[in-house]
Amino acid sequence: MKKICCFFWVIFFVAGCKTTSHTNSALADINPFQFSVQKKIIGENGAVVSAHPLASKVGVEILKQGGNAFDAAIATQLALAVVYPNAGNIGGGGFMVARTADGKLLALDYREAAPGKAYRDMYLDSAGNLLNDKSVNGHLASGVPGTVAGLFAAAKYAKLDFKKLIQPAIELAEKGFVLTGREAESFNGIQNDLKKFNSVMPVFVKETVWKTGDTLIQKDLANTLMRIRDSGQKGFYEGETAKLMVEEMKRGNGILGYDDLKNYTAKYREPHVFNYKGYTVAGMPMPSSGGVLLHQMMKMVEKRNLGNLGFHTVQSVQLMTEVERRAYADRAEYMGDADFYKVPVSKLVDDNYLEERMKDYDSTKAGSSAVIKPGKIKESEQTTHLNVIDKEGNAIAITTTLNNSYGSKTVVGGAGFFLNDEMDDFSIKPGVPNLYGAVGGEANAIAAGKRMLSSMTPTIVLKDNKPFIVVGTPGGTTIPTSVFQTIVSIIDFGLSTEEAVYKPKFHHQWLPDKIFVEKNFPEQTLAALKKMGYAIGDREAIGRTEVIKILPDGKFEAVGDNRGDDDAEGW
Ligand code: GLY
């Protein structure tokens, strides 16, 4: 018997009479066949917010069992790789921004890298034309996965044995969990692509439709996770899993090889840190554009009394639109992997430079992207974000991705995980829009070993040197604007955390020269913006923002976005 109850904030599943028997595991107190979605929690000891209730619950159990925020973040991310295959992953990459209990700020880069056989024009034919969808779908679209190396690099700050952290993910894959309505619908939507881009059919392929409450069991993925448990990083980048990945490549003319896997490293980098109205903001440096874009946008509004202009008024939205336009114009021209291209970061965030950028700002009429260098930027929005905090003072923001929803749509035969299509985040043909509208400069051209530019913006805002806001979201190029709007909604507009997350967002990315708005955006503001000369475009949903805010009494207020199954847990 299956019973499904839906409440305003709660989805509740009961599938058959399965119960868990995962003694001594973080899953001991979690039933993957019966769970609810919780949007907000106030925790005293710790909190986790992620895109899936089971992943958030795993994280909190790890905290309860003596782990710190790093332990919980690792376990949550591994659980997401099982229960949220859309974007949770071991075949993709990501970024972590963290603040340790002793006050150290960290930025961990485990972004995918172009394989050794990659080259600048690999997605062009001999006449220089773009080759269909090869950077997006199938075997040639994948960069070297970075997630597993990232998890082991993060484990340097963890307290518990990695085996304990990966065990819940193994059990979720081996014994299964029930699908939410959104997940079932999402699987139904990719059936044709799965059949097209796989010769070994993955478990996600089903001849009848997926339904809410169906159980998903992933034996191949469980075995892959067990190899990681037993052999560490080598259990993924070498041995059987590497062999399965290279064999998969051969089935689809991919270029990922043994050396690419063996040589991949996650890198600790200097976080991008700046000051905003007395708060310290710590973000991700290159190859993410997130930290620099956030810095540019926040500094361009800092002296302009955003709070006095009012939330969602024509005045504040127009000002924020104009700073977004200017920051994104710089992104397309100057940003890329700083290990390969000299990105002029200090110039881009110099106060005088940013004031100069705003010199032609006119608060009475729409600016024009035609007077700035032309180009378009588009990136996939199917990414995922999680935040974790513990009572010791560790705070973590992680954004991780396969790029598109389900990445390249290719699942490694016998290993059970999706490979990313992150190669599409490079400028496929510098200076010229690709099939999907992406334009970038030489800064982000393809080169072997280079990491593709990202918009992921995991961010920690500190007040008096202590964590105040931990924030991030998926959303491709809309990520930095969503994080920007969420932070100023709390700091400048005085919104509650829930309002800052749930209120409609808007986005301008230079080109197309249009403000994209979510539904329910105030009509009066839109009418006034149109009058000023702005083009307005409608958008379904912008991001799935997750926030943990530290309250004046030291408690942790965690809020998961209501645009998805996002879930906040704490204790
Ligand atoms: N693939 C989306 C991003 O990295 O921004």
Side-chain angles (χ1 to χ4, degrees), residues 95 111-112 287-289 331 379-383 401-404 421-422 425 452-457 475-477 479:
F95 300 127
R111 182 72 163 163
E112 300 91 328
S288 174
S289 59
R331 182 194 193 278
E379 285 174 11
S380 160
E381 304 190 351
Q382 303 308 326
T383 294
T401 187
L402 289 165
N403 195 24
N404 267 302
D421 64 322
E422 218 68 65
D425 273 353
M452 53 297 286
L453 185 63
S454 171
S455 294
M456 294 188 287
T457 313
T477 50
I479 295 175

Side-chain angles (χ1 to χ4, degrees), residues 70 174 204 207 246 403 421 476 481 503 514 548 552:
F70 290 91
E174 200 176 24
F204 312 103
E207 290 315 323
V246 173
N403 195 24
D421 64 322
T481 51
K503 289 273 183 194
K514 209 179 236 191
I548 296 177

Side-chain angles (χ1 to χ4, degrees), residues 408-434:
S408 64
K409 325 290 184 310
T410 297
V411 175
V412 177
F417 62 90
F418 282 97
L419 283 169
N420 66 83
D421 64 322
E422 218 68 65
M423 291 298 284
D424 195 60
D425 273 353
F426 279 117
S427 311
I428 301 303
K429 186 174 178 181
V432 176
N434 72 2

Side-chain angles (χ1 to χ4, degrees), residues 159-179:
K159 281 166 45 175
L160 304 181
D161 187 350
F162 195 90
K163 287 183 169 49
K164 188 173 178 69
L165 307 181
I166 200 169
Q167 194 57 28
I170 292 171
E171 290 172 20
L172 285 166
E174 200 176 24
K175 295 171 184 167
F177 64 97
V178 291
L179 297 182

